[in-house]
Amino acid sequence: MALLMETRLLLRKVKDLRCLTQKRHRVKEKWAATRIKHPATGLALQNFDSTYSVQLGPLWPSVRAALLSERKYGALLNNYGHDDVQAELQAKGCKDFPSDIETEAQPYLEQEPEVAGEEESTHVSVNKSDLDARQLPALQLSPNIKCLVFPRGDITRFKPARPDMFGCLGYYLMDAASVLPCLALNVQEGHNVLDLCAAPGGKTLALLQTKSIGFFGVNDASVSRTTRLRKVLGSYVPKPLLSDEKLRITTFDGTKWGEIEKNTFDRVLVDVPCTTDRHSLMEDDNNIFSKNRTGERRRLPQLQLDLLLAGIEAACPGGEILYSTCTLSQIQNLSVVEQAIHTAREDHGIQLQVVDLRPLTHMFRKTFDFAPDLPLGEMVVPHLAANFGPIYMCKLRRLT
């Protein structure tokens, strides 16, 4: 009994020595177990700082500041609406950027020959000050796509679109840089088009504005995202068009599309899932940098490669494929395209030609900032004065 009392007295004295412990170590165990963890947005910023500071060099600080600031939107005009929304927005200072190109950029737009036998211009000589005196091929864009933006440095916000008398909204708010892949896809009259990863629907809606598509296959692997896609289209497109047999909305695994419809489409848009850099920095909800999505993030490049290869197989000989992401990551952009070109040649016997998109950067340099000297494809980088993007795009053509 005496021994037990001495032990208790000794333990009490040891506890009293807590006052000699450094304050930062005086933490209750239950508090230590529930310390605030790094949010997903913080983990994304750490990842980008370590990766993009090397990839972009001195450009990264300005891009970083823009990514952490409020993004800028464009208003994609709905050609199925009946209100004169364009005049209303232009009165507020907006400009339709696809038609607002510089005078010296006009030669880069390929025109259909008007006289039989007339040869189309395939190359245009450029002054030494313009893109290092290299010769740029002419570029034809998808028609009828209109997207209005406020001038550089103007951060005015668009008001929500209003429905017309038939219930169609006048415009769709989206990152204006996301319209560039749709323009570059060069959809022409009667083309069969596939949008392999269509949700949430902005690029799908932009392609529908061309009113040139013969058959439009719209697909997304996610049931919930496809439901959202249908809701978006239902707010902008007349119901008879949604039920038309020329428009088909599906929920298939896009990586298997080469087995479903091979050598079928004139144009294929492959806007793949990615780290979505801007969302990853601004929103903790559904963030791919969350701890429980680490494996999914690491598998992204392989998923992107499989989707691009499926899109290549779905395109017919002579058809064109547009690969795009909304990330700055070289691993998800350039590396995926390089691997796809190699795999298509070695494993599928498909020869691909990279279509030069430099004319696009020259035409729209008043509206967007583009990354300089990319070895493959083009990329819009965010800038505080023109806070669009990031959007990476690379166009491939299947050789016959």
Side-chain angles (χ1 to χ4, degrees):
M1 187 67 179
L3 181 60
L4 181 59
M5 292 296 293
E6 289 178 4
T7 304
R8 287 179 177 176
L9 182 62
L10 180 61
L11 287 173
R12 186 179 298 173
K13 289 182 177 180
V14 170
K15 287 181 180 180
D16 290 341
L17 292 177
R18 187 174 55 181
C19 62
L20 301 178
T21 307
Q22 293 183 1
K23 191 172 181 179
R24 65 174 179 270
H25 295 307
R26 286 188 234 156
V27 181
K28 290 184 179 180
E29 184 178 351
K30 64 177 183 180
W31 291 354
T34 57
R35 286 177 181 172
I36 298 175
K37 298 178 181 178
H38 290 292
T41 50
L43 295 174
L45 185 57
Q46 290 177 14
N47 180 284
F48 296 162
D49 278 336
S50 61
T51 306
Y52 297 157
S53 59
V54 176
Q55 179 182 316
L56 299 176
L59 190 62
W60 171 236
S62 65
V63 173
R64 185 184 193 270
L67 281 172
L68 293 171
S69 304
E70 183 178 351
R71 79 188 314 167
K72 193 171 181 179
Y73 285 90
L76 174 70
L77 287 191
N78 183 16
N79 292 331
Y80 297 97
H82 294 80
D83 293 340
D84 191 7
V85 178
Q86 183 170 357
E88 181 183 335
L89 293 178
Q90 286 176 333
K92 296 179 180 179
C94 295
K95 291 185 177 180
D96 175 31
F97 86 81
S99 61
D100 183 33
I101 59 177
E102 299 184 15
T103 305
E104 65 266 26
Q106 289 286 350
Y108 305 139
L109 281 172
E110 183 180 335
Q111 304 293 334
E112 294 291 338
E114 297 180 359
V115 182
E118 181 182 347
E119 294 184 0
E120 295 184 15
S121 174
T122 56
H123 288 84
V124 179
S125 296
V126 187
N127 293 330
K128 193 170 183 179
S129 60
D130 294 333
L131 299 176
D132 303 329
R134 291 173 290 194
Q135 289 189 332
L136 295 180
L139 188 68
Q140 195 169 355
L141 304 179
S142 300
N144 303 325
I145 298 177
K146 300 177 182 179
C147 184
L148 276 76
V149 296
F150 286 99
R152 289 179 71 95
D154 188 338
I155 58 173
T156 304
R157 295 179 180 178
F158 288 96
K159 292 182 179 179
R162 300 188 306 270
D164 62 14
M165 65 180 72
F166 299 101
C168 291
L169 296 175
Y171 54 82
Y172 179 79
L173 295 181
M174 63 189 297
D175 189 328
S178 296
V179 176
L180 292 176
C182 303
L183 289 169
L185 193 58
N186 181 23
V187 174
Q188 298 300 323
E189 190 68 37
H191 275 168
N192 294 329
V193 180
L194 172 64
D195 189 350
L196 195 56
C197 312
K203 294 183 180 67
T204 303
L205 188 60
L207 291 172
L208 281 171
Q209 302 309 310
T210 64
K211 295 186 176 182
S212 302
I213 298 176
F215 173 79
F216 196 8
V218 179
N219 181 73
D220 198 275
S222 168
V223 175
S224 61
R225 287 170 60 85
T226 305
T227 301
R228 182 182 172 191
L229 167 68
R230 289 180 182 274
K231 185 176 180 180
V232 168
L233 295 182
S235 300
Y236 292 88
V237 179
K239 290 183 179 179
L241 180 60
L242 291 177
S243 57
D244 195 317
E245 61 183 13
K246 294 182 179 179
L247 175 65
R248 183 187 64 198
I249 302 175
T250 55
T251 310
F252 296 149
D253 179 1
T255 62
K256 307 295 183 184
W257 206 272
E259 304 170 9
I260 301 172
E261 288 179 316
K262 187 179 290 187
N263 305 328
T264 303
F265 295 94
D266 301 289
R267 299 290 184 266
V268 180
L269 176 62
V270 188
D271 183 43
V272 295
C274 63
T275 49
T276 321
D277 292 358
R278 194 181 286 273
H279 175 84
S280 295
L281 288 176
M282 303 302 288
E283 301 288 341
D284 282 316
D285 187 39
N286 196 31
N287 193 313
I288 200 163
F289 282 87
S290 300
K291 292 284 189 179
N292 59 352
R293 299 185 69 185
T294 302
E296 179 185 352
R297 189 174 74 251
R298 290 174 177 170
R299 290 191 296 270
L300 272 178
Q302 185 60 50
L303 173 63
Q304 293 159 347
L305 174 62
D306 292 342
L307 286 167
L308 180 52
L309 286 171
I312 291 169
E313 286 191 273
C316 62
E320 295 177 349
I321 307 99
L322 200 296
Y323 175 80
S324 67
T325 73
C326 48
T327 177
L328 298 165
S329 170
Q330 261 186 356
I331 295 174
Q332 299 176 65
N333 295 338
L334 183 140
S335 298
V336 169
V337 175
E338 286 181 333
Q339 184 63 36
I341 293 172
H342 174 79
T343 304
R345 182 179 65 248
E346 298 298 324
D347 296 352
H348 303 283
I350 298 174
Q351 299 291 331
L352 295 166
Q353 174 190 15
V354 178
V355 179
D356 194 345
L357 292 180
R358 284 175 297 165
L360 195 77
T361 69
H362 198 74
M363 282 187 273
F364 301 125
R365 62 185 180 184
K366 285 201 305 185
T367 305
F368 306 104
D369 278 52
F370 292 91
D373 302 323
L374 285 188
L376 195 61
E378 300 296 342
M379 182 166 64
V380 176
V381 293
H383 187 278
L384 284 173
N387 204 359
F388 302 109
I391 290 290
Y392 172 83
M393 51 194 165
C394 185
K395 189 175 183 181
L396 306 172
R397 180 180 293 124
R398 273 194 66 169
L399 301 181
T400 55

